[in-house]
Amino acid sequence: MDVIESRVETRSDEYRANYEHMEKLVAELKSELAKAREERSATARARNAELGKLTVQQRLGCLLDPGTPWLEVAPLAAHGMYDGKVYSAGTRAGIGVVGGREVMVTANDPMIKGGTIYPMGVKKSLRCQNIALENRLPYVSLIDSGGAYLPLQSEVFPDADDGGRIFYNQAWFSKLGIPQICAVMGLCTAGGAYIPAMSDHVVHVARTGAIFLGGPPLVRAATGEEVSAEELGGADVHCRLSGVSDYLAEDDAHACQIVRDIMAALPPARKAQIARREPRPPRYDPHELWGVVPRKLSTPYDVRELIARLVDGSEMLEFKALYGPTLVCGWAYIHGYQVGILGNNGVLFSESALKATQFIQLCDRQGTPLLFLQNIAGYIVGKEYERRGITKDGHKMVHAVATATVPKLTVIVGASFGAGNYGMCGRGYSPRFLWMWPNAQIGVMGGEQAADVLISVKSDQLARTGQEPLQPAMIEAIRRPIIDAALKEGNAFYSTANLWDDGILDPATTRDVLGLAIAVTLNAPLEGRDQGQGVFRM
């Protein structure tokens, strides 16, 4: 493979200005992540300690193998929503190592609204289940929840992608043989009682853990019976009488140890095999990404400069380097795992789309995971390009992305607009993981472009009806709200709050995150690849 020779001058004023800009964005990101992890009321902390419970962070510390990596999923879900304090949508979640095996872990945070489930909490649970299903990961649930947040029950309960889907997915976990382990560390109420009931192994903490379809208030209202939570669904009831729970734990730490013992007793994972070699660091410091990425999305730069700071040895075997130059494709290694990389170097022309189609087919046929680095304004438009077939050529690329069966990973490193989002494996095209950088923006189109389109449409309407053209003040009155809305609803924090991605990454950590993610995807077999009639040169 050829070494990518960087042309970035790290002592230039432009590099320094870019670096400082990204440094501020990363500092804001780290501040919000710390707040989501740690900001809890004194009352909630005192109540948690009074009950003898560990914090979520302490529970994770007891559960996960010491010194092993933790790949958190959607840590800023629900950011700024509700009253602004439903941090992480009320649930910490991520992929860690337990008993020597990679697992998906979800943990309700009882210090956030008593662990009640908000609509975004349901969406996050479903996303975590989907990650576990796609990657065949054992699923560990640390339950401590008062059930659905009743004032928003219509957004939590009835639809196909609401709370009931969680239990539907659990049934498929069981059918597919994916282990499910549940630790009941607090309340496990109403529909949530089905989570332990449908798990393979249930660990129940004495005195604090309780499972029941209807809690004491509902029982009192429905039957007049007075009963405590412990009498109704405590550990003794379910470990000794009902048989719902399998293992009795004295406290949270004991419960985590039992979960670890269960995981250690499971058969070892058999990982899929892809091309590998000894890992090597890049020749260029990944922190230099802060200075490589321009401050403005509209400023062009060579995506090879990003690749050089992400891949082993800064080496890549570039595919069709002289053809379709607005898309860079090539094979490289990240932490020793081979990947096929597609990175934007401008808008997508027919040649770019055809190159991508062939490259994706080759990677899919040989079982090489795909990495998409998105910085895309869309496909080229205009009379000439329509006549040359950009619509059908773009369709070929979109079709190849949609039907590729190898693991797909996406990082939005800049713009992600329009059909370019689809062609470069946006959320709708089922990448195993998708992340954004703090500078990234997403939308149908950029704010300036959207404003110009709407002003043009309005001007055409006025001209057809013989009215006066738009005056500068009127143009600005249309333009400014559209641009402001695009900036608000297209930025990385808005995206991650709505779970359009799996988290915002510090660019300097992206290489390590990708290495972990590739390793995780190999828990699922590489199967179902249809060789069809081979690869065509489009």
Side-chain angles (χ1 to χ4, degrees):
M1 291 186 176
D2 295 327
V3 173
I4 300 171
E5 296 293 341
S6 177
R7 300 181 184 278
V8 171
E9 178 49 68
T10 58
R11 297 181 181 179
S12 69
D13 292 341
E14 180 69 15
Y15 176 90
R16 175 51 53 187
N18 290 341
Y19 192 99
E20 291 174 354
H21 177 71
M22 184 63 78
E23 189 174 33
K24 290 177 182 177
L25 293 178
V26 171
E28 180 186 6
L29 170 62
K30 290 181 176 179
S31 174
E32 293 302 322
L33 288 171
K35 186 186 298 184
R37 282 194 307 268
E38 300 162 11
E39 189 174 275
R40 305 293 183 268
S41 71
T43 302
R45 288 186 180 278
R47 177 60 176 162
N48 201 67
E50 178 187 335
L51 293 171
K53 297 179 179 181
L54 299 178
T55 65
V56 169
Q57 189 65 38
Q58 290 170 329
R59 288 171 175 173
L60 292 173
C62 289
L63 177 68
L64 301 171
D65 291 0
T68 55
W70 166 250
L71 181 57
E72 189 150 6
V73 174
L76 295 178
H79 177 269
M81 294 183 177
Y82 311 119
D83 64 356
K85 296 184 178 180
V86 185
Y87 300 114
S88 300
T91 301
R92 290 288 297 281
I95 300 166
V97 180
V98 179
R101 186 161 172 179
E102 291 160 338
V103 299
M104 170 62 74
V105 181
T106 60
N108 302 119
D109 191 337
M111 291 193 290
I112 299 176
K113 316 294 185 182
T116 51
I117 307 300
Y118 280 69
M120 291 307 298
V122 172
K123 186 173 182 179
K124 183 169 179 176
S125 293
L126 293 174
R127 173 60 187 150
C128 291
Q129 285 187 319
N130 192 55
I131 290 173
L133 281 165
E134 285 188 325
N135 298 292
R136 297 297 192 269
L137 296 175
Y139 202 97
V140 175
S141 303
L142 307 183
I143 305 293
D144 193 345
S145 171
Y149 181 65
L150 293 179
L152 297 176
Q153 63 175 327
S154 64
E155 299 177 46
V156 171
F157 171 68
D159 210 345
D161 56 355
D162 284 340
R165 193 73 178 186
I166 293 171
F167 317 125
Y168 173 94
N169 287 341
Q170 282 193 268
W172 274 100
F173 272 80
S174 185
K175 185 176 179 66
L176 293 170
I178 301 173
Q180 300 176 78
I181 303 166
C182 175
V184 180
M185 296 176 155
L187 295 180
C188 195
T189 308
Y194 288 116
I195 295 176
M198 299 182 73
S199 294
D200 300 317
H201 300 270
V202 180
V203 182
H204 201 140
V205 178
R207 295 173 295 282
T208 57
I211 303 170
F212 30 61
L213 291 178
L218 180 58
V219 170
R220 187 184 310 116
T223 69
E225 181 182 10
E226 292 288 344
V227 62
S228 69
E230 184 68 17
E231 293 170 325
L232 187 61
D236 191 69
V237 171
H238 288 306
C239 287
R240 190 184 307 276
L241 301 176
S242 75
V244 168
S245 302
D246 308 311
Y247 310 88
L248 178 64
E250 286 303 313
D251 54 28
D252 287 358
H254 187 207
C256 289
Q257 183 57 54
I258 295 172
V259 173
R260 290 177 52 79
D261 292 341
I262 294 167
M263 283 300 309
L266 293 176
R270 290 181 292 181
K271 288 201 168 188
Q273 297 299 311
I274 62 172
R276 297 184 64 177
R277 70 181 189 185
E278 192 67 25
R280 287 183 293 150
R283 291 181 61 181
Y284 308 100
D285 185 352
H287 267 97
E288 290 180 0
L289 290 167
W290 288 9
V292 170
V293 177
R295 301 181 299 285
K296 293 184 178 181
L297 290 182
S298 57
T299 303
Y301 66 97
D302 190 347
V303 73
R304 296 175 185 84
E305 298 287 356
L306 304 190
I307 297 170
R309 291 158 178 84
L310 295 176
V311 304
D312 293 4
S314 301
E315 295 175 348
M316 180 174 66
L317 174 60
E318 189 166 347
F319 178 73
K320 289 185 183 294
L322 302 180
Y323 181 78
T326 60
L327 185 70
V328 172
C329 300
W331 286 277
Y333 289 81
I334 295 178
H335 280 284
Y337 298 105
Q338 189 183 57
V339 292
I341 300 175
L342 297 94
N344 298 120
N345 249 1
V347 296
L348 291 167
F349 290 80
S350 284
E351 294 84 356
S352 317
L354 295 176
K355 176 165 83 170
T357 303
Q358 186 182 355
F359 181 71
I360 292 166
Q361 289 179 327
L362 289 168
C363 289
D364 196 41
R365 187 167 71 169
Q366 66 192 41
T368 302
L370 291 162
L371 170 61
F372 296 83
L373 300 176
Q374 274 201 27
N375 181 25
I376 181 63
Y379 288 87
I380 192 68
V381 296
K383 182 174 70 174
E384 176 189 352
Y385 302 106
E386 290 296 348
R387 291 181 176 184
R388 288 169 55 184
I390 184 61
T391 299
K392 63 181 176 65
D393 293 334
H395 146 259
K396 293 168 187 171
M397 179 178 176
V398 168
H399 186 279
V401 173
T403 58
T405 58
V406 292
K408 296 174 287 191
L409 308 173
T410 301
V411 185
I412 301 177
V413 301
S416 179
F417 295 143
N421 170 277
Y422 307 150
M424 290 296 293
C425 200
R427 189 65 127 184
Y429 285 74
S430 295
R432 298 284 183 93
F433 296 94
L434 184 149
W435 300 277
M436 296 184 82
W437 281 359
N439 60 304
Q441 290 186 24
I442 187 170
V444 174
M445 61 182 69
E448 293 278 357
Q449 188 178 8
D452 289 343
V453 168
L454 290 176
I455 289 167
S456 178
V457 169
K458 183 64 176 177
S459 296
D460 290 345
Q461 290 174 342
L462 294 175
R464 284 199 304 271
T465 56
Q467 299 181 58
E468 291 290 323
L470 291 173
Q471 299 302 309
M474 297 172 65
I475 290 174
E476 185 60 24
I478 295 173
R479 179 185 298 276
R480 181 45 48 194
I482 295 170
I483 294 174
D484 290 346
L487 290 173
K488 175 188 174 184
E489 297 177 4
N491 72 38
F493 283 105
Y494 192 91
S495 169
T496 208
N498 284 279
L499 276 161
W500 298 345
D501 57 63
D502 295 314
I504 306 172
L505 300 181
D506 172 357
T509 68
T510 303
R511 167 181 160 79
D512 291 339
V513 169
L514 289 171
L516 290 172
I518 295 166
V520 166
T521 66
L522 300 181
N523 284 279
L526 288 172
E527 59 186 8
R529 298 198 308 279
D530 183 4
Q531 304 306 316
Q533 299 182 41
V535 177
F536 291 93
R537 291 182 178 272
M538 293 293 180

